[in-house]
Amino acid sequence: MISDERILVTGVSGTIGSALARYLAAENEVWGVARFAEVATREKETFAAVATPPPTRAFSTREELEAAGVTVRAVDLAAGALGGLPDDFTYVLHLAWLRAGLDQLEDAFRANVEGAGLVLQHCRHAKAALVMSGMGVYSANDDPWWAYSERDPVGRGATAYAPTSPACKLGLESVARFCARAFDLPVVITRLNTLTGLAGTFPAMHIDAVMNDRTVVAPSDPTPHTPIHIDDMKWMLEPLLDAASSPASITNWCGDDVTTVQEWVHDAAAWADREAKIEVVPVPGSPAGARSDPTRRRSITGPCRTNFADTFRALFTEVTGITPSAAG
């Protein structure tokens, strides 16, 4: 485990940022920055086009983070106001992300692309920086079972839930690669697959949809994913930061197990004795599946320590209060 370091986590109020910052704060001096927008503002940034979010909020308040030992600052990366932050962080986790519609593309570029460059410039003397990208950079393949690897074409993708993400993710990666070379800053760019293990993730949203008789929307049938559990993300931080380099290194950040939206929705429905409602709505330019190739990540971290089947059962119980074995 990483210890005795001074670490900056951007996007600290988000689902992943909060979990990782709390984990690191046990053994390190952790600073966290975010906009700390009001609840009404955050609700506008949900995955509404794909599934209705669960009632449990997936972001953290300043008070909750401070109680966990995180030094918190409100920062708007779009405004570029970083002057109040120290510049001697030893590690940086850049996770901040503004989800926006096409009518907010300029705002999204300023926050997500320019903001990343400003953070890395400010922290250019760090030992290493992890920059979170995502599957949205990949150009779509018509085969839903295609396992996207770091060698696949990028730049011609689309998503149903965040139309500005593909362009901004590509811009983010470009800026991160530039900063790695310009500042001789070791950088690892991680292309996140589907997160699981927490409220606010796709699997949790879909469990909630089943419990409330809502329809889950998917771009294809089947829709494969390679989910990564938050517990694996925590311990993988150390080897991933060790793999940072200049020029930047790039890896998928996914789990080892392949599953589908259809499988986990039907499992949840069976455990809850409810109907599984899934509607297929293809999105032009969007990939039919979201399966990542874990080969490069495994060469850095080794295998995952969790498996999707067990952790999804645990997540189902957490969301519903129902133990699957007792649900039939």
Side-chain angles (χ1 to χ4, degrees):
M1 179 179 177
I2 299 170
S3 61
D4 301 321
E5 302 288 355
R6 194 178 210 193
I7 303 172
L8 175 65
V9 180
T10 70
V12 74
S13 66
T15 307
I16 298 175
S18 174
L20 296 185
R22 292 165 188 263
Y23 168 74
L24 291 168
E27 299 289 341
N28 302 274
E29 179 187 348
V30 178
W31 287 57
V33 301
R35 290 175 297 143
F36 292 102
E38 297 296 331
V39 172
T41 301
R42 296 298 297 265
E43 287 299 321
K44 294 179 182 177
E45 299 173 21
T46 59
F47 295 88
V50 179
T52 303
T56 304
R57 57 185 170 82
F59 52 93
S60 298
T61 66
R62 296 183 61 151
E63 293 75 17
E64 290 166 339
L65 290 161
E66 288 169 345
V70 180
T71 300
V72 177
R73 295 289 183 270
V75 170
D76 183 355
L77 294 184
L82 304 178
L85 287 178
D87 60 3
D88 60 348
F89 294 105
T90 52
Y91 289 118
V92 177
L93 305 184
H94 181 60
L95 314 176
W97 192 255
L98 172 66
R99 190 177 298 118
L102 288 175
D103 60 335
Q104 299 171 300
L105 183 59
E106 182 62 28
D107 294 336
F109 270 117
R110 187 171 295 276
N112 297 329
V113 181
E114 296 174 23
L118 292 171
V119 169
L120 295 178
Q121 179 188 42
H122 187 81
C123 301
R124 58 189 177 275
H125 301 301
K127 293 179 183 179
L130 182 150
V131 176
M132 185 75 82
S133 183
M135 291 284 293
V137 299
Y138 289 118
S139 299
N141 190 297
D142 292 336
D143 179 2
W145 292 104
W146 182 260
Y148 291 90
S149 80
E150 298 83 357
R151 299 176 300 277
D152 277 321
V154 299
R156 299 191 305 277
T159 63
Y161 58 85
T164 61
S165 282
C168 285
K169 291 291 187 187
L170 197 60
L172 167 72
E173 290 195 9
S174 299
V175 165
R177 294 174 68 148
F178 166 79
C179 289
R181 296 185 65 181
F183 306 134
D184 195 25
L185 170 64
V187 171
V188 57
I189 298 169
T190 54
R191 293 173 176 167
L192 183 67
N193 197 270
T194 306
L195 174 67
T196 188
L198 293 170
T201 60
F202 269 174
M205 291 180 186
H206 293 167
I207 292 169
D208 187 71
V210 168
M211 298 303 294
N212 289 280
D213 198 35
R214 294 194 300 267
T215 299
V216 171
V217 177
S220 64
D221 186 6
T223 307
H225 290 250
T226 40
I228 180 77
H229 196 278
I230 190 62
D231 288 349
D232 282 318
M233 294 185 73
K234 292 174 181 177
W235 68 261
M236 285 182 185
L237 283 174
E238 186 169 14
L240 286 170
L241 286 165
D242 286 344
S245 60
S246 176
S249 56
I250 300 175
T251 181
N252 288 334
W253 204 354
C254 61
D256 296 332
D257 297 331
V258 181
T259 184
T260 71
V261 170
Q262 287 75 14
E263 288 174 325
W264 74 54
V265 169
H266 280 97
D267 281 345
W271 295 335
D273 194 23
R274 295 172 184 267
E275 181 183 359
K277 296 181 179 180
I278 305 174
E279 181 182 2
V280 175
V281 181
V283 178
S286 180
R291 179 184 176 187
S292 292
D293 181 348
T295 303
R296 184 175 295 180
R297 192 229 78 221
R298 285 173 64 94
S299 73
I300 296 170
T301 68
C304 291
R305 298 174 184 174
T306 71
N307 67 77
F308 183 78
D310 290 343
T311 58
F312 184 68
R313 292 172 72 90
L315 182 63
F316 178 84
T317 299
E318 179 182 346
V319 172
T320 67
I322 299 171
T323 302
S325 60

